[in-house]
Amino acid sequence: MEELRPSPANSSPLTPLGFLERAATVYADSPSIIYNTTTTYTWSQTHRRCLQLASSLSSYGISRGHVVSVIAPNVPAMYELHFAVPFAGAILNTINTRLDARTVSLLLQHCESKLAFVDYQSRALVLEAVSLFPPNVKRPPLVLIADDDASTSAQTVDSNFISTYESLVVKGDPGFNWVRPKSEWDPIVLNYTSGTTSSPKGVVHCHRGIFLLVLNSLTDWSVPTQPVYLWTLPMFHANGWCFPWAMAAVGGTNICVRKFDASIIYGLIRRHGVTHMCGAPVVLNMLSNSPDNEPLKNPVRVFTSGAPPPAAVLLRTESLGFIVSHGYGLTETAGMVVSCAWKRKWNLFPAEEKARLKARQGVRTLALTEVDVLDSDSGQSVTRDGSSVGEIVLRGGCIMLGYLKDPIGTRKCMTNDGWFYTGDVGVMHPDGYLEIKDRSKDVIISGGENLSSVEVESVLYSNPAVKEAAVVARPDEYWGETPCAFVSIKEGIKQKPTEKEIIRYCRERLPHYMVPKTVVFKEELPKTSTGKIQKFVLRDIAKNMGSVTTTTVMSRI
């Protein structure tokens, strides 16, 4: 049979970009994007606009292997760039709009971005970021994404920008012959893990991996053709778990929204007949606690991931007509690779038991070859008893290629035979379902954002009054988890800082979502015999403190 295997010359690399071509044929006149009351595109229009933009990018010298960055919320341009940038052969890098200028600058330098698209609301942020570039480092040219609701001045390009987004679209060639990958292993996206500004981890994914993850997500979630998808999940979060490409594959309608709260979400659901949406558990909490939370006329399917949603939140959300699916994934997996596959017999269980089962992460999805939990000492699979903990490891076709410019970091978490060590701690239940018990030591998940406790600690240690500092997760009834700082003060400090002063100090030096919501002062932090701070002791203290009641719940949406 050897002679029947395809040669590289006649093989056709897998790529998610072809989904848009097909959508332009099958769903040509169906709506692809709806934004505000002023913007509606069809799939044929979206296909043409992406080709035109790719053509303009090529005319600016953007070519195969170049990195093109974008700092924008869920607006139509953000969606189109998921096709237009790789159409030009380039690698798309989406940057979190909630980061501070120092972090954005560091990421743009690390990936050697050749061009950056900047939403008008992030204009000041990015201009400050590029101003922090060292004199000998080339700054990327900037393109302004103006908005229909933007002021006249925001829509007028200034000397800091080479063009506006729409100008590039208009002048491009709709007949552009897009650049197909030479190999399905060619990189298509670069995403940075959160909270790693001291040592950025740029996660690189290939065309093949994204292609598999898209089909995997559509199959696992049983997404029908032409759904109406509401973009409550930021596209800068692991490319919106690959749903920009997934919606093209099934000809869905993308409801784009720049900023939202519960009333906006409910309004869009009613206006457009939304059928699907994704988001962190904080979105579920928002929906269930809203004064607008009248039961839905038609069910809306919600996929959630992050810190496990509390059973009470699941119960409240589903009582309103939302059908919640729960899963697990990382930036390194491009999206959901473990999901709580539902069994019919569970429908007969009491509501509390159903919520408990649904809060588990679940079993591997079809694109994942294996998932296991390994004992840290023996390296063997833990007993499937729901209590023996170990590190979660994954293997499959949608695992990242590796970390950009970080072979050591890549080798630390990926083995030669394809296993990816997540750093997350979990258990395996007797029925084969995975449940996360803790996150890796330095990561806190707050409102869907991953943040590094080490980075917060470094800021706390920079305070002249602080002797020791350790940051752990504290339960938060709205955000899931928020940073809790344990601090000891140096001897001889006459005016000891208050909790508010410590928080204010951090707010001046960190993105808002990374600032501790709780500060606990201790004379001495618990340590091992070798002097290492015992974070597990502090985690127990924070957990026993109970959930934080957040009053300014919309400050980070």
Side-chain angles (χ1 to χ4, degrees):
M1 296 292 181
E2 194 72 29
E3 68 278 6
L4 297 180
R5 293 180 181 178
S7 67
N10 62 20
S11 63
S12 181
L14 296 175
T15 175
L17 302 181
F19 299 152
L20 182 55
E21 272 190 338
R22 182 178 182 276
T25 300
V26 180
Y27 311 106
D29 299 324
S30 299
S32 56
I33 297 174
I34 296 176
Y35 177 60
N36 291 340
T37 58
T38 56
T39 303
T40 300
Y41 296 123
T42 64
W43 279 109
S44 60
Q45 289 174 324
T46 294
H47 180 230
R48 184 173 65 251
R49 284 173 59 84
C50 290
L51 288 174
Q52 289 175 251
L53 182 54
S55 169
S56 290
L57 290 175
S58 295
S59 70
Y60 270 100
I62 299 300
S63 61
R64 195 184 299 276
H66 287 167
V67 174
V68 174
S69 302
V70 54
I71 303 95
N74 290 347
V75 293
M78 183 62 141
Y79 184 87
E80 293 171 343
L81 285 165
H82 277 77
F83 290 94
V85 169
F87 268 176
I91 302 163
L92 178 66
N93 165 230
T94 58
I95 294 179
N96 191 333
T97 59
R98 300 165 184 165
L99 297 176
D100 59 0
R102 178 180 62 87
T103 306
V104 173
S105 179
L106 214 161
L107 301 188
L108 289 173
Q109 292 176 59
H110 184 261
C111 72
E112 301 178 41
S113 180
K114 299 298 183 184
L115 186 71
F117 288 87
V118 183
D119 181 76
Y120 77 97
Q121 289 189 342
S122 295
R123 179 182 179 278
L125 168 71
V126 177
L127 290 180
E128 182 182 353
V130 296
S131 74
L132 299 175
F133 274 45
N136 60 334
V137 177
K138 187 177 181 180
R139 302 178 182 182
L142 306 178
V143 175
L144 182 67
I145 300 173
D147 190 84
D148 291 338
D149 298 331
S151 64
T152 303
S153 60
Q155 297 186 49
T156 304
V157 66
D158 58 38
S159 59
N160 294 299
F161 298 85
I162 62 170
S163 178
T164 62
Y165 181 88
E166 286 300 324
S167 295
L168 290 184
V169 173
V170 169
K171 76 176 187 179
D173 177 11
F176 177 70
N177 187 21
W178 61 275
V179 181
R180 295 179 182 271
K182 291 181 178 179
S183 164
E184 58 192 36
W185 301 102
D186 287 351
I188 182 173
V189 292
L190 166 67
N191 297 310
Y192 282 95
T193 57
S194 300
T196 54
T197 55
S198 59
S199 179
K201 288 187 178 180
V203 175
V204 181
H205 282 285
C206 63
H207 286 256
R208 172 187 172 85
I210 299 299
F211 180 93
L212 293 175
L213 199 284
V214 167
L215 299 186
N216 178 77
S217 299
L218 293 172
T219 302
D220 189 79
W221 204 15
S222 301
V223 179
T225 57
Q226 297 189 279
V228 180
Y229 183 87
L230 176 59
W231 275 104
T232 45
L233 172 71
M235 289 186 223
F236 58 67
H237 271 312
N239 305 110
W241 302 344
C242 288
F243 276 97
W245 299 289
M247 285 302 105
V250 292
T253 300
N254 294 276
I255 309 300
C256 290
V257 56
R258 171 177 291 276
K259 189 176 182 179
F260 62 84
D261 56 22
S263 62
I264 291 175
I265 291 176
Y266 279 110
L268 291 172
I269 288 173
R270 290 190 289 264
R271 187 181 314 142
H272 300 293
V274 170
T275 61
H276 293 72
M277 55 188 281
C278 292
V282 63
V283 176
L284 304 185
N285 206 15
M286 178 196 305
L287 294 171
S288 63
N289 289 326
S290 169
D292 298 321
N293 62 2
E294 296 180 3
L296 302 173
K297 291 183 179 180
N298 297 300
V300 175
R301 296 183 177 274
V302 183
F303 206 110
T304 188
S305 178
V313 173
L314 281 173
L315 285 172
R316 290 199 305 267
T317 307
E318 294 207 318
S319 69
L320 296 170
F322 293 94
I323 302 173
V324 182
S325 297
H326 182 221
Y328 168 67
L330 307 94
T331 305
E332 289 88 345
T333 65
M336 296 304 103
V337 291
V338 173
S339 70
C340 190
W342 196 249
K343 298 183 180 183
R344 289 182 180 177
K345 65 180 182 181
W346 292 348
N347 291 322
L348 303 175
F349 293 177
E352 292 78 8
E353 177 64 9
K354 287 194 291 186
R356 186 191 67 79
L357 290 169
K358 187 166 284 192
R360 301 187 302 175
Q361 280 62 42
V363 296
R364 69 176 180 86
T365 53
L366 297 178
L368 199 65
T369 307
E370 293 180 83
V371 58
D372 203 355
V373 179
L374 303 183
D375 180 83
S376 57
D377 294 325
S378 68
Q380 301 299 309
S381 301
V382 300
T383 304
R384 295 190 171 194
D385 56 9
S387 60
S388 299
V389 298
E391 183 174 2
I392 300 169
V393 295
L394 310 169
R395 182 160 64 171
C398 52
I399 304 296
M400 66 171 179
L401 294 177
Y403 295 124
L404 179 67
K405 302 178 184 177
D406 188 4
I408 296 176
T410 301
R411 287 195 296 271
K412 282 182 177 179
C413 68
M414 296 181 71
T415 63
N416 291 332
D417 56 354
W419 283 105
F420 168 59
Y421 283 68
T422 67
D424 292 335
V425 176
V427 300
M428 196 69 79
H429 287 272
D431 61 357
Y433 277 59
L434 170 73
E435 182 178 1
I436 294 177
K437 286 298 183 182
D438 200 359
R439 289 285 174 174
S440 54
K441 293 180 180 179
D442 299 330
V443 177
I444 298 168
I445 298 183
S446 182
E449 300 278 2
N450 287 3
L451 61 95
S452 168
S453 61
V454 172
E455 186 170 1
V456 183
E457 288 161 4
S458 68
V459 170
L460 289 167
Y461 273 109
S462 70
N463 188 307
V466 172
K467 175 185 176 184
E468 295 173 327
V471 176
V472 298
R474 178 183 175 184
D476 187 294
E477 63 184 39
Y478 191 83
W479 296 111
E481 297 175 349
T482 50
C484 176
F486 289 85
V487 175
S488 65
I489 302 301
K490 295 176 182 177
E491 296 179 5
I493 299 294
K494 295 181 180 179
Q495 190 67 35
K496 294 184 178 180
T498 64
E499 180 181 16
K500 288 184 177 180
E501 288 172 338
I502 292 292
I503 292 174
R504 184 168 61 247
Y505 181 87
C506 292
R507 186 171 287 124
E508 293 170 353
R509 292 161 176 81
L510 288 168
H512 185 73
Y513 72 90
M514 297 182 72
V515 176
K517 300 297 182 291
T518 312
V519 178
V520 179
F521 292 98
K522 284 186 166 293
E523 289 187 8
E524 195 76 24
L525 301 189
K527 299 182 183 67
T528 65
S529 58
T530 58
K532 185 177 180 181
I533 294 175
Q534 295 176 312
K535 278 198 170 182
F536 70 92
V537 174
L538 299 179
R539 288 191 189 100
D540 287 340
I541 295 174
K543 184 177 181 179
N544 291 332
M545 290 166 63
S547 294
V548 178
T549 302
T550 306
T551 54
T552 55
V553 294
M554 292 310 303
S555 62
R556 288 163 44 198
I557 298 295

